[in-house]
Each structure stands twice: as C-alpha cells, then as structure tokens.
Amino acid sequence: MGTVIMHNVVSVDGFIADESDDVDPLHDWYFSGDDPIIERGGRKDEESFDHSGAGNAFKVSSASADYVRSTWATIGVIVMGRHLFDLVNGWEGKPPAGEHVVVVSHRPKPEGWHPEASYHFVDGVTAAIDKAQELAGDRTVAVNAGEVGGQILAAGLVDEVAMDVVPVVFGSGKRFFGSIDSRHLLADPHVVIPRDGVLHLRFKVRR
C-alpha cells in the first residue's frame, strides 16, 4: 500500500483559506517562478487548475521545483472533500497530480459531470482511504487538509503530514487540521526545505 500523506499550503498561523475560501496570497509562490512543474510522465503542466478553479500554469522558483516535482510524481490518488470539489468544480476532471480522485461526500457525482474522469464519490473517510489505496497501489495517496483531512488523521489513517508554509498570517479562516479535537503526535520533520516564499515541511505521524 502507498503512503497516505495529508498535504496543503498553509499560513504560518495554521489556515489553508480565509472564511470566504480565498487562498490568496497562500498560492502566490505556485505562480511566481519561471520553472514549470513536471508531472504525468514528464509532461510540463501548462494548463492546470489552482484552488480557485482558474486555469493557470504552475511555475515555481527553481529552488522549489525539484521538491514539488518529485512529490507530485509519486501521487496516484487525491482525496478531497465535497466542499473543495464544489469550490473548484473538481478541477474540471483534471487533477493537478495523480490519475484518480476520491471525493468524500454524502451526495453522488453530479449527473453528466466529466464522465471520462476517474473520480469516485465515497460516503465516509475510512471507505475513501480504502478506495484510494485500491486505486493507488504502491503510489502515494494525497489527502487535502481541512475538515476531511482532519477526520482522516483522527481515524488513524494518515502516515505523514506535509505542509508548504508561507509567510502569511490570516488570523482566522479554514484550519489545516479542520475541527479536530484530539491529540496527535508527529515525529521530528524529516523534510525541512526553506525556499523562495515557502517552507516545505514533512512529518511522520507517530502511532
């Protein structure tokens, strides 16, 4: 089974968006460089979708490019909540990384929505991770942070936590760990990469 990693860009005070789901300027570093991210077998991604759902080319600084490329190349499946799916319209069936998406939702896929896309709507976080690991094989399952990510962590199904920390203070908004109310211990970070406008961190979850 592949590693389950809970990941997101996050402000230094722990928010992944403001109360209105605005992520600016959290994602500025994704579009402020000159080096396109390479994914899907080496294709340069010139028409991906950011959190807002707008078509944009992901171009990061050369300092971040190697880390982001290598991370995205391992992803087989993204797990997201229905709120994010609706917010970005599922990236129009073209996830920024991986070949499959599992959406945690009590509601089915919208009728007629991108039938060609490998998107699977599953009721419950345990079933979502089971489905994601079935699809991913030995590749990484990337879980979007927030309410659903926090629920998956609380259920003991997350192996690592990855944060791209940007020098922004929101003060309030949508928390990286959602409304999780239990204690979870992380190991010392095994990835610490300071780059232009972002600090890449990864922690293993202690069992």
Side-chain angles (χ1 to χ4, degrees):
M1 295 248 179
T3 302
V4 177
I5 299 178
M6 179 179 172
H7 170 258
N8 231 90
V9 182
V10 61
S11 68
V12 292
D13 56 343
F15 296 101
I16 60 174
D18 69 12
E19 298 288 358
S20 301
D21 291 309
D22 184 4
V23 299
D24 291 336
L26 293 182
H27 288 189
D28 285 352
W29 66 278
Y30 268 133
F31 309 106
S32 61
D34 299 317
D35 207 337
I37 294 171
I38 296 176
E39 59 169 353
R40 297 193 179 111
R43 179 175 67 82
K44 286 183 187 275
D45 183 8
E46 295 291 349
E47 198 60 37
S48 289
F49 291 85
D50 65 15
H51 179 96
S52 69
N56 282 287
F58 285 112
K59 290 186 177 181
V60 300
S61 71
S62 58
S64 281
D66 287 345
Y67 172 76
V68 176
R69 288 171 183 158
S70 62
T71 299
W72 285 22
T74 67
I75 294 172
V77 181
I78 291 175
V79 177
M80 67 193 307
R82 184 59 181 258
H83 179 70
L84 179 57
F85 173 86
D86 289 340
L87 189 65
V88 303
N89 197 29
W91 300 298
E92 299 297 341
K94 299 175 182 177
E99 290 76 43
H100 313 279
V101 174
V102 175
V103 182
V104 181
S105 177
H106 301 301
R107 293 176 285 136
K109 182 189 299 186
E111 187 174 354
W113 183 88
H114 291 288
E116 78 288 351
S118 182
Y119 278 55
H120 307 264
F121 287 63
V122 178
D123 188 356
V125 296
T126 301
I129 294 301
D130 286 345
K131 182 63 176 179
Q133 289 186 320
E134 173 192 330
L135 293 166
D138 60 358
R139 299 185 69 192
T140 297
V141 173
V143 176
N144 283 112
E147 288 297 330
V148 166
Q151 292 172 28
I152 294 171
L153 177 66
L157 301 174
V158 173
D159 300 309
E160 295 187 23
V161 171
M163 295 177 163
D164 297 320
V165 184
V166 297
V168 175
V169 176
F170 269 15
S172 65
K174 308 297 177 68
R175 296 186 177 277
F176 184 95
F177 293 102
S179 55
I180 191 169
D181 60 1
S182 54
R183 179 181 295 180
H184 297 269
L185 300 179
L186 307 179
D188 290 338
H190 62 94
V191 173
V192 181
I193 306 174
R195 291 296 183 254
D196 297 343
V198 61
L199 172 63
H200 304 294
L201 297 172
R202 283 178 68 165
F203 310 82
K204 293 187 182 299
V205 178
R206 292 184 182 178
R207 303 297 189 190

